[in-house]
Amino acid sequence: MESPTLADWVGDVTSFTSHQWQREPAVFTPETLASPFDLDELDAAFDSGLLRTPYLEMVRSNKVTVPADAYTTSRVVNGTTHHGFADRAKVVALLRAGATLLLRHVDQWHRPTGDLVTRLSGELDRRVEAFFFVTPADGQGLAIHRDDADVFALQDLRTALERCLTEGLDVPERPLGEAAIADACATLLSHVGAKLATVEPADLRLAARAAQSRQLVEAAGAETFAGTARDWEAGALGAKRAALTSVVRTWRRLRGAARTAD
C-alpha cells in the first residue's frame, strides 16, 4: 500500500504551507488516515527479538528516565554478552505501574513508517523522524515541555468520540422494516444529542487514551501489547467460543454413547 501524502494529512497543502506550517498549531481530521505502526506492529517488533536500546526508552511524567536494565535483558551472541534487548514482560509491568514507552526513530527499523517518513520529508523538504508512545489510561506520558521541532501528532480521537456518544445506547443491531429503522434513527439521534451536551474535552481525551491502553494496565496475564489492549473486545467472543466448545463436547459424548450401544 502506498504511503499517505501530505495532502492526506492536512487537506489543502497550499493553505497549510502558507498559513500554518511553522506558524500556528492546527487540528486536521483526515477521513481514513491511520498510523502505519500500531500495537500489533509493536508486538511484531518485540517478537523479532531485535528491538533494543536506544530505539526504546521508558520514562515517567515527572521527567524521570527509567534505567534501561529495568525493561531490557542481556544476551550472549558468539560468546560475547550484549545488553539492551527489549524485554516485553518488563515493559508491560512498567506500563501497568504508570510509565510510558517511547520508541525512537521508528522509521529506521519499520519499513512502512520509513516509507511514510521518506514521502513527508520529500514533500516538506525537511528531515522527518517518527516516534511512537504508549501511555497507560488516565496517565500522562511526558511532563509539560516544548519541542524544538515541528510536530505531527497522529491520534484516534474521532473513534473515541463515537464511543462516548453511543455509550448506553440501546437500539437493535439489525432493525427490520421501515418502521423499525425509523425508530432506531430517532433513538440514535435523541441519544447522541443528549450525550453531546454532556461530553467535555477532558472526557474525550481520557476516552481516547483508555481505548488504546486500558488493558495494558488492568489485564494481568496478557502476553502481547495488542492482545492486552484488545482483551475487552475478545471477552464476548471468548464466551461464545466456550459455549460452542461445550456443545461440541456434548455432541461427541452422545455420538460415542450411540456407537457403543450399537
Side-chain angles (χ1 to χ4, degrees):
M1 181 181 295
E2 190 175 20
S3 297
T5 65
L6 182 61
D8 293 325
W9 286 58
V10 303
D12 187 338
V13 174
T14 301
S15 175
F16 169 72
T17 55
S18 300
H19 303 294
Q20 292 156 337
W21 175 244
Q22 297 185 327
R23 290 178 175 84
E24 62 181 23
V27 176
F28 305 99
T29 55
E31 289 296 324
T32 59
L33 188 62
S35 171
F37 192 88
D38 56 17
L39 293 179
D40 287 317
E41 295 296 314
L42 176 59
D43 278 314
F46 273 77
D47 289 341
S48 74
L50 299 178
L51 182 62
R52 60 180 302 186
T53 56
Y55 286 121
L56 81 157
E57 181 180 341
M58 298 201 75
V59 297
R60 301 187 184 277
S61 60
N62 55 4
K63 296 185 178 181
V64 173
T65 299
V66 180
D69 59 3
Y71 54 88
T72 63
T73 189
S74 300
R75 296 178 186 163
V76 177
V77 180
N78 198 27
T80 302
T81 301
H82 300 269
H83 305 283
F85 289 93
D87 185 310
R88 178 161 36 205
K90 292 181 179 179
V91 170
V92 171
L94 285 169
L95 285 170
R96 290 176 183 150
T100 284
L101 172 63
L102 165 58
L103 300 181
R104 298 184 177 277
H105 298 282
V106 180
D107 50 292
Q108 293 184 6
W109 47 271
H110 183 251
R111 183 167 181 174
T113 301
D115 292 342
L116 172 61
V117 164
T118 298
R119 179 182 284 266
L120 291 178
S121 181
E123 292 191 68
L124 292 170
D125 193 26
R126 294 290 188 277
R127 181 166 62 92
V128 178
E129 300 169 344
F131 297 78
F132 185 83
F133 296 84
V134 179
T135 299
D138 300 332
Q140 178 179 349
L142 299 176
I144 296 176
H145 65 284
R146 179 172 181 172
D147 291 306
D148 58 357
D150 298 291
V151 177
F152 279 112
L154 187 60
Q155 300 175 322
D156 196 17
L157 286 176
R158 183 165 55 185
T159 299
L161 177 60
E162 292 175 358
R163 290 173 178 164
C164 285
L165 295 182
T166 57
E167 183 180 6
L169 180 64
D170 184 19
V171 295
E173 294 184 3
R174 293 186 178 89
L176 301 177
E178 292 300 320
I181 293 174
D183 288 343
C185 290
T187 301
L188 175 62
L189 290 174
S190 176
H191 181 91
V192 169
K195 278 281 189 178
L196 190 59
T198 64
V199 175
E200 299 291 336
D203 300 327
L204 180 58
R205 174 174 55 84
L206 292 177
R209 288 179 175 175
Q212 290 295 324
S213 58
R214 180 182 294 114
Q215 295 304 316
L216 289 172
V217 181
E218 297 174 352
E223 296 294 331
T224 66
F225 298 100
T228 304
R230 292 195 303 266
D231 276 349
W232 65 274
E233 292 180 327
L237 179 60
K240 291 180 181 178
R241 286 177 175 171
L244 178 60
T245 299
S246 178
V247 171
V248 170
R249 287 175 178 170
T250 301
W251 167 248
R252 287 176 176 171
R253 285 198 298 268
L254 291 174
R255 185 175 60 181
R259 288 177 176 173
T260 301
D262 291 342

